Amino acid sequence: MAQVDHTALVEREYMVGDNGVIAGLERAARRFALWAWINVGIAVAGGFLTLASYNTASLSGSYVALKGAIVLGPVFAVINVVRYLRTRSKINSIKTAARGTRPAAQNVPTRAAAGPAPQASGQVFNPPPGWPRMPEGWRPTLDWKPDLSWPAPPKGWSLLVGSELLMSPLDLSDDLDFGPPAQVTKKRLNEAADHAADAIAWQICRVAGESTENPLMTLSKLDDHVQTATEKAQDRIFTKLLAETNAWVQESQANIHEWEAALQHARMILERRDAFAARSRQRIKAVISAAVAPPRQDPPPAPRPAPEFIRTVPLSQETRAKVKPDQTLKRRDRILGWVALGILAVSGIVVFGVQAGFTPSSSAASPSMEDGFDPAVVKNLERQGDWAQSGSFYMKWVPDDQYSCTSGAACTEIWLWTPLYGGCKSAEAMVDLLQDGKAIGTARSTVNNLTRDSPKRVHIQAASGLKPDQVQINHVSCSN
């Protein structure tokens, strides 16, 4: 029976990838988290709209309470949080199971720099200062030994490093020609900065090799020299390039499109120059640290499992059911989320519609009361005891011996006072004219600029020919 790699079986079983089970669960977890925040927002918006409706309602009026949004928002949020936590738990259990089926790496002792260890994938030969450069792609064998005439490497030197951390020094003594400024790219400038940093790091390693010292120790001692070398390298790379770029900007002023392109290129080069020092320091530290770090080694191949063990690797039906994303839950969650958003939209429309309906220009109860009652005025009126409330107004009769009426008509006068913060620009008072207890007509009068600061006296004159024996207040309306 052919041997089968059980690790590959496990990876295929879990389908690790963009379309695998873990990727699907990750997307589901993000979706649950998003809907949880949306539902929290629905609850907050419902509470805010309810508070706004309450504040705009009068003392005797009504307001809209979005109980659905306030109650269902947190409920749906908790549901989605629970789903999110359950999904994350499934993801962690899958990853734990995948790690548990792989053989543990064995501890492998590191080898000394004089005898290279078996190279790991992605590592290249890293000759110390004073050693010749080997042909590209050359790898030391297990029985290879350096020439005795070569100088001793710095303390802790590793002959194998990652290819991306191999020093490739740039010769800063020659003129650097990047070509026309328009052809200079950010990638090319970053590469030049890294190679210049490699040149500084290489000199530090050379000094460390001469003193048989660890290059990291030498780097800490030569911090001032590193800063000076970095500044010189920056000038070497960017001084000429910026001068050519500025000349390009000046020459292209006749063409607006070319001028804008030149300006953008100049800004990019200035950004790379400003970032040069920080980038170089990071590169110097990285390549020196890699040069003196123990070589990275791949663990030895694990023994092939017995066929009986291979047959137990595929997941059971119960495990499959646990880790498979529940499509039904996904659809239901989307539906509930859209329902919650619909509730929020409808609630907002209802609130603003009801508020608009409660704001006519003129009504019997003075609906133009955006600011509500001043409690100090209300308390003062109620303390006096002879003021009667009618909607948003307080009224008091004026004794009939204090005013005169036109001959053949009836009249009366009243005091009007409103506790509304916003007052009333024009108030109309209406009275019923009674004769033998029956209404024979009405009379009205208006008063302007009624505020909560003080009352106003209103004279109400009936039409000629009406001779009532009694008048009584009907209502007062406000028009802003």
Side-chain angles (χ1 to χ4, degrees), residues 146-151:
D147 194 307
L148 296 178
S149 62
W150 297 347

Side-chain angles (χ1 to χ4, degrees), residues 277-361:
R279 184 183 183 92
S280 297
R281 281 190 167 275
Q282 292 178 357
R283 176 70 181 181
I284 292 170
K285 181 68 176 296
V287 295
I288 293 179
S289 299
V292 296
R296 180 167 52 89
Q297 301 173 7
D298 287 337
R304 297 291 183 176
E308 292 77 14
F309 177 77
I310 295 176
R311 286 196 296 268
T312 63
V313 169
L315 300 178
S316 63
Q317 293 297 330
E318 181 181 358
T319 306
R320 290 172 184 269
K322 290 181 179 180
V323 301
K324 185 180 295 184
D326 192 338
Q327 301 296 333
T328 303
L329 288 178
K330 291 181 181 179
R331 289 193 296 270
R332 187 171 63 185
D333 179 71
R334 284 196 293 268
I335 293 173
L336 291 177
W338 285 114
V339 168
L341 286 178
I343 292 174
L344 176 63
V346 173
S347 301
I349 294 173
V350 170
V351 167
F352 291 110
V354 171
Q355 290 178 359
F358 281 167
T359 316
S361 60

Side-chain angles (χ1 to χ4, degrees), residues 60-103:
S60 58
S62 61
Y63 62 94
V64 178
L66 303 181
K67 298 179 181 178
I70 297 174
V71 175
L72 295 181
V75 170
F76 287 148
V78 171
I79 291 174
N80 281 284
V81 168
V82 172
R83 290 176 177 172
Y84 171 81
L85 295 176
R86 289 177 58 188
T87 305
R88 295 305 312 178
S89 177
K90 290 180 182 180
I91 295 172
N92 293 334
S93 64
I94 293 175
K95 292 181 178 180
T96 301
R99 286 194 297 268
T101 56
R102 303 186 181 201

Side-chain angles (χ1 to χ4, degrees), residues 160-243:
L160 294 173
V161 298
S163 57
E164 72 281 358
L165 294 175
L166 181 65
M167 299 183 204
S168 300
L170 176 68
D171 189 359
L172 297 174
S173 61
D174 295 336
D175 291 335
L176 302 179
D177 185 11
F178 291 95
Q183 298 179 2
V184 179
T185 63
K186 183 185 297 186
K187 179 180 178 181
R188 191 174 178 189
L189 290 177
N190 288 339
E191 291 176 350
D194 290 344
H195 295 329
D198 289 349
I200 298 174
W202 185 256
Q203 292 300 325
I204 293 174
C205 294
R206 182 184 296 276
V207 173
E210 293 174 355
S211 59
T212 62
E213 188 178 43
N214 189 297
L216 288 175
M217 183 66 68
T218 305
L219 175 63
S220 63
K221 294 179 179 179
L222 300 179
D223 186 69
D224 294 339
H225 296 279
V226 170
Q227 182 176 354
T228 302
T230 302
E231 293 173 354
K232 291 182 178 179
Q234 182 184 46
D235 294 338
R236 190 71 175 172
I237 293 175
F238 289 96
T239 300
K240 179 181 178 183
L241 180 59
L242 283 174

